[in-house]
Coordinates of all heavy atoms in Angstrom, one line a residue:
Chain A
A99 N -92.9 66.9 26.5 CA -93.0 66.3 25.2 C -91.8 65.3 24.9 O -90.8 65.4 25.6 CB -93.1 67.3 24.1
E100 N -92.0 64.4 24.0 CA -90.9 63.5 23.5 C -89.7 64.4 23.2 O -89.9 65.4 22.5 CB -91.3 62.8 22.3 CG -92.5 61.9 22.4 CD -92.2 60.5 23.0 OE1 -91.0 60.3 23.3 OE2 -93.1 59.7 23.2
G101 N -88.5 63.9 23.5 CA -87.3 64.6 23.1 C -86.9 65.8 23.9 O -85.8 66.4 23.6
V102 N -87.7 66.2 24.9 CA -87.3 67.4 25.7 C -86.2 66.9 26.7 O -86.5 66.0 27.5 CB -88.5 68.1 26.4 CG1 -88.0 69.2 27.3 CG2 -89.5 68.6 25.4
L103 N -85.1 67.5 26.6 CA -84.0 67.1 27.4 C -83.9 68.0 28.7 O -84.7 69.0 28.8 CB -82.6 67.3 26.7 CG -82.5 66.5 25.4 CD1 -81.1 66.7 24.8 CD2 -82.8 65.0 25.6
L104 N -83.0 67.6 29.6 CA -83.0 68.3 30.9 C -82.8 69.8 30.8 O -83.4 70.6 31.5 CB -81.9 67.6 31.7 CG -81.9 67.9 33.2 CD1 -83.2 67.3 33.9 CD2 -80.7 67.2 33.9
T105 N -81.9 70.2 29.9 CA -81.6 71.6 29.8 C -81.6 72.0 28.3 O -81.3 71.2 27.4 CB -80.2 72.0 30.4 OG1 -79.2 71.3 29.6 CG2 -80.0 71.5 31.8
P106 N -81.8 73.3 28.0 CA -81.7 73.8 26.7 C -80.3 73.6 26.1 O -80.1 73.4 24.9 CB -82.1 75.3 26.8 CG -82.6 75.5 28.1 CD -82.2 74.4 29.0
E107 N -79.3 73.7 27.0 CA -77.9 73.6 26.6 C -77.6 72.2 26.0 O -76.9 72.1 25.0 CB -76.9 73.8 27.8 CG -76.9 75.3 28.3 CD -78.1 75.7 29.1 OE1 -78.8 74.8 29.6 OE2 -78.4 76.9 29.2
L108 N -78.2 71.2 26.6 CA -78.0 69.8 26.0 C -78.7 69.7 24.6 O -78.1 69.1 23.7 CB -78.6 68.8 27.0 CG -77.9 68.5 28.3 CD1 -78.8 67.7 29.2 CD2 -76.6 67.8 28.1
E109 N -79.8 70.4 24.5 CA -80.5 70.3 23.2 C -79.7 71.1 22.1 O -79.6 70.6 21.0 CB -81.9 71.0 23.3 CG -82.9 70.1 24.2 CD -84.2 70.7 24.5 OE1 -84.4 71.9 24.2 OE2 -85.0 70.1 25.1
N110 N -79.1 72.2 22.5 CA -78.3 73.0 21.6 C -77.1 72.2 21.2 O -76.7 72.3 20.0 CB -77.9 74.4 22.2 CG -79.1 75.2 22.5 OD1 -80.2 75.0 21.9 ND2 -79.0 76.2 23.4
K111 N -76.5 71.5 22.1 CA -75.3 70.8 21.8 C -75.5 69.7 20.7 O -74.8 69.5 19.8 CB -74.8 70.1 23.1 CG -73.3 69.7 23.1 CD -73.0 69.2 24.5 CE -71.7 68.5 24.5 NZ -71.5 67.9 25.9
Q112 N -76.7 69.0 20.9 CA -77.0 68.0 19.9 C -77.4 68.6 18.6 O -77.2 68.0 17.5 CB -78.1 67.1 20.4 CG -77.6 66.2 21.6 CD -78.6 65.3 22.1 OE1 -79.5 64.9 21.5 NE2 -78.4 64.9 23.4
A113 N -78.1 69.8 18.6 CA -78.4 70.4 17.4 C -77.2 70.8 16.6 O -77.2 70.9 15.3 CB -79.3 71.6 17.7
A114 N -76.1 71.1 17.3 CA -74.9 71.6 16.6 C -73.9 70.4 16.2 O -72.9 70.6 15.6 CB -74.2 72.5 17.5
D115 N -74.2 69.2 16.6 CA -73.3 68.1 16.4 C -74.1 66.9 15.9 O -74.7 66.1 16.6 CB -72.6 67.7 17.7 CG -71.5 66.7 17.5 OD1 -71.5 66.0 16.5 OD2 -70.7 66.5 18.4
D116 N -74.1 66.7 14.5 CA -74.9 65.7 13.9 C -74.5 64.3 14.4 O -75.4 63.4 14.6 CB -74.7 65.7 12.4 CG -75.5 66.9 11.8 OD1 -76.3 67.4 12.5 OD2 -75.2 67.2 10.6
K117 N -73.2 64.1 14.5 CA -72.7 62.7 14.9 C -73.2 62.4 16.3 O -73.6 61.3 16.6 CB -71.2 62.7 14.8 CG -70.7 62.6 13.4 CD -69.2 62.5 13.4 CE -68.7 62.4 12.0 NZ -67.2 62.4 12.0
L118 N -73.1 63.4 17.2 CA -73.5 63.2 18.6 C -75.1 62.9 18.6 O -75.5 62.0 19.3 CB -73.2 64.4 19.4 CG -73.7 64.4 20.9 CD1 -73.1 63.3 21.7 CD2 -73.5 65.7 21.6
A119 N -75.8 63.7 17.8 CA -77.3 63.5 17.8 C -77.6 62.1 17.2 O -78.5 61.5 17.7 CB -77.9 64.6 16.9
R120 N -76.8 61.6 16.2 CA -77.1 60.3 15.7 C -76.8 59.2 16.7 O -77.6 58.3 16.8 CB -76.2 60.1 14.4 CG -76.6 58.9 13.6 CD -76.0 58.8 12.3 NE -74.5 58.7 12.5 CZ -73.6 58.9 11.5 NH1 -74.1 59.3 10.3 NH2 -72.3 58.8 11.7
F121 N -75.8 59.4 17.5 CA -75.5 58.4 18.5 C -76.6 58.4 19.6 O -77.0 57.4 20.0 CB -74.1 58.8 19.2 CG -73.9 57.9 20.4 CD1 -73.9 56.5 20.4 CD2 -73.6 58.5 21.7 CE1 -73.6 55.8 21.5 CE2 -73.4 57.8 22.8 CZ -73.4 56.4 22.7
V122 N -77.1 59.6 20.0 CA -78.1 59.7 21.0 C -79.4 59.0 20.4 O -80.0 58.2 21.1 CB -78.5 61.1 21.3 CG1 -79.7 61.2 22.2 CG2 -77.3 61.8 22.0
R123 N -79.7 59.2 19.1 CA -80.9 58.6 18.5 C -80.8 57.1 18.4 O -81.8 56.4 18.5 CB -81.2 59.2 17.1 CG -81.8 60.5 17.1 CD -82.4 60.8 15.8 NE -81.5 60.8 14.7 CZ -80.7 61.8 14.3 NH1 -80.8 63.0 14.9 NH2 -79.8 61.7 13.3
S124 N -79.5 56.6 18.3 CA -79.3 55.2 18.1 C -79.7 54.4 19.4 O -80.0 53.2 19.3 CB -77.9 54.9 17.8 OG -77.1 55.0 19.0
A125 N -79.7 55.1 20.6 CA -80.1 54.5 21.9 C -79.3 53.2 22.2 O -79.7 52.3 22.8 CB -81.6 54.1 21.9
T126 N -78.0 53.2 21.6 CA -77.2 52.1 21.9 C -76.3 52.4 23.1 O -76.3 53.6 23.6 CB -76.3 51.8 20.7 OG1 -75.6 53.0 20.3 CG2 -77.1 51.2 19.5
D127 N -75.5 51.4 23.5 CA -74.6 51.7 24.7 C -73.3 52.3 24.2 O -72.6 52.9 25.0 CB -74.3 50.4 25.4 CG -75.6 49.9 26.1 OD1 -76.0 50.6 27.1 OD2 -76.2 48.9 25.7
G128 N -72.9 52.1 23.0 CA -71.7 52.6 22.5 C -71.6 52.6 21.0 O -72.4 51.9 20.3
Q129 N -70.7 53.3 20.5 CA -70.4 53.3 19.0 C -68.9 53.2 18.9 O -68.1 53.8 19.6 CB -70.9 54.5 18.3 CG -72.3 54.5 18.0 CD -72.8 55.7 17.2 OE1 -72.0 56.7 17.1 NE2 -74.0 55.7 16.7
I130 N -68.4 52.4 18.0 CA -67.0 52.3 17.8 C -66.7 52.3 16.3 O -67.4 51.7 15.4 CB -66.5 51.0 18.4 CG1 -65.0 50.9 18.3 CG2 -67.1 49.7 17.9 CD1 -64.4 49.9 19.3
A131 N -65.7 53.1 15.9 CA -65.4 53.2 14.5 C -63.9 52.9 14.4 O -63.1 53.2 15.2 CB -65.6 54.6 14.0
F132 N -63.5 52.1 13.3 CA -62.2 51.7 13.1 C -61.5 52.5 12.0 O -62.2 52.9 11.0 CB -62.1 50.2 12.8 CG -62.7 49.3 13.9 CD1 -64.0 48.9 13.8 CD2 -61.9 48.9 14.9 CE1 -64.5 48.1 14.8 CE2 -62.4 48.1 15.9 CZ -63.7 47.7 15.9
G133 N -60.2 52.7 12.1 CA -59.4 53.3 11.1 C -58.1 52.7 11.0 O -57.8 51.7 11.7
G134 N -57.2 53.2 10.2 CA -55.8 52.7 10.1 C -55.7 51.6 9.1 O -56.6 51.4 8.2
A135 N -54.7 50.8 9.2 CA -54.4 49.7 8.2 C -55.5 48.7 8.0 O -55.7 48.3 6.8 CB -53.1 49.0 8.6
P136 N -56.2 48.2 9.0 CA -57.2 47.2 8.7 C -58.4 47.7 7.9 O -59.2 46.9 7.4 CB -57.7 46.7 10.1 CG -56.7 47.3 11.1 CD -56.1 48.5 10.4
V137 N -58.5 49.0 7.7 CA -59.7 49.6 7.0 C -59.3 50.0 5.6 O -58.3 50.7 5.4 CB -60.2 50.8 7.8 CG1 -61.4 51.4 7.1 CG2 -60.7 50.3 9.2
E138 N -60.1 49.6 4.6 CA -59.8 50.0 3.3 C -61.1 50.3 2.6 O -62.0 49.4 2.5 CB -59.1 48.8 2.6 CG -58.2 49.2 1.4 CD -57.4 48.0 0.9 OE1 -56.3 47.7 1.5 OE2 -57.9 47.4 0.0
H139 N -61.3 51.5 2.1 CA -62.5 51.8 1.4 C -63.8 51.4 2.1 O -64.6 50.6 1.6 CB -62.5 51.3 -0.1 CG -61.3 51.7 -0.8 ND1 -61.0 53.0 -1.1 CD2 -60.4 50.9 -1.4 CE1 -59.9 53.0 -1.7 NE2 -59.5 51.8 -2.0
H140 N -64.0 51.8 3.3 CA -65.2 51.4 4.1 C -65.3 49.9 4.3 O -66.4 49.4 4.5 CB -66.4 52.0 3.5 CG -66.4 53.5 3.4 ND1 -66.2 54.3 4.5 CD2 -66.5 54.3 2.4 CE1 -66.2 55.5 4.1 NE2 -66.4 55.6 2.8
S141 N -64.2 49.2 4.2 CA -64.3 47.7 4.5 C -63.2 47.5 5.6 O -62.2 48.2 5.6 CB -64.0 46.9 3.3 OG -64.9 47.1 2.3
I142 N -63.4 46.4 6.4 CA -62.5 46.2 7.4 C -62.0 44.7 7.3 O -62.8 43.8 6.9 CB -63.1 46.4 8.8 CG1 -62.0 46.3 9.9 CG2 -64.2 45.5 9.1 CD1 -62.4 47.0 11.2
E143 N -60.7 44.5 7.5 CA -60.1 43.2 7.4 C -60.8 42.3 8.4 O -60.8 42.6 9.6 CB -58.6 43.3 7.7 CG -57.8 42.0 7.6 CD -56.5 42.1 8.2 OE1 -55.9 43.3 8.4 OE2 -56.0 41.1 8.6
L144 N -61.3 41.2 8.0 CA -62.1 40.3 8.8 C -61.3 39.7 10.0 O -61.8 39.6 11.1 CB -62.7 39.2 8.0 CG -63.7 38.3 8.7 CD1 -64.9 39.1 9.2 CD2 -64.2 37.1 7.8
G145 N -60.0 39.4 9.7 CA -59.2 38.8 10.7 C -59.0 39.7 11.9 O -59.2 39.3 13.1
F146 N -58.8 41.0 11.6 CA -58.6 42.0 12.7 C -59.9 42.2 13.4 O -60.0 42.1 14.7 CB -58.1 43.3 12.1 CG -58.2 44.5 13.1 CD1 -57.2 44.6 14.1 CD2 -59.3 45.3 13.1 CE1 -57.3 45.7 15.0 CE2 -59.4 46.3 14.1 CZ -58.4 46.5 15.0
Y147 N -61.0 42.3 12.6 CA -62.3 42.6 13.2 C -62.8 41.5 14.1 O -63.3 41.7 15.2 CB -63.3 42.9 12.1 CG -64.7 43.3 12.6 CD1 -64.9 44.5 13.3 CD2 -65.8 42.5 12.4 CE1 -66.1 44.8 13.8 CE2 -67.0 42.8 12.9 CZ -67.2 44.0 13.6 OH -68.4 44.3 14.0
G148 N -62.6 40.3 13.6 CA -63.1 39.1 14.4 C -62.3 39.0 15.7 O -62.9 38.8 16.8

Side-chain angles (χ1 to χ4, degrees):
Chain A
E100 299 278 358
V102 174
L103 304 182
L104 197 62
T105 65
E107 291 74 23
L108 289 167
E109 290 171 357
N110 296 341
K111 198 172 166 188
Q112 290 181 24
D115 184 343
D116 286 347
K117 286 183 179 174
L118 175 64
R120 191 169 63 194
F121 171 56
V122 172
R123 280 197 303 273
S124 75
T126 54
D127 291 293
Q129 280 184 346
I130 185 161
F132 298 94
V137 175
E138 209 173 276
H139 305 301
H140 300 303
S141 299
I142 189 162
E143 185 196 333
L144 188 62
F146 169 81
Y147 182 65

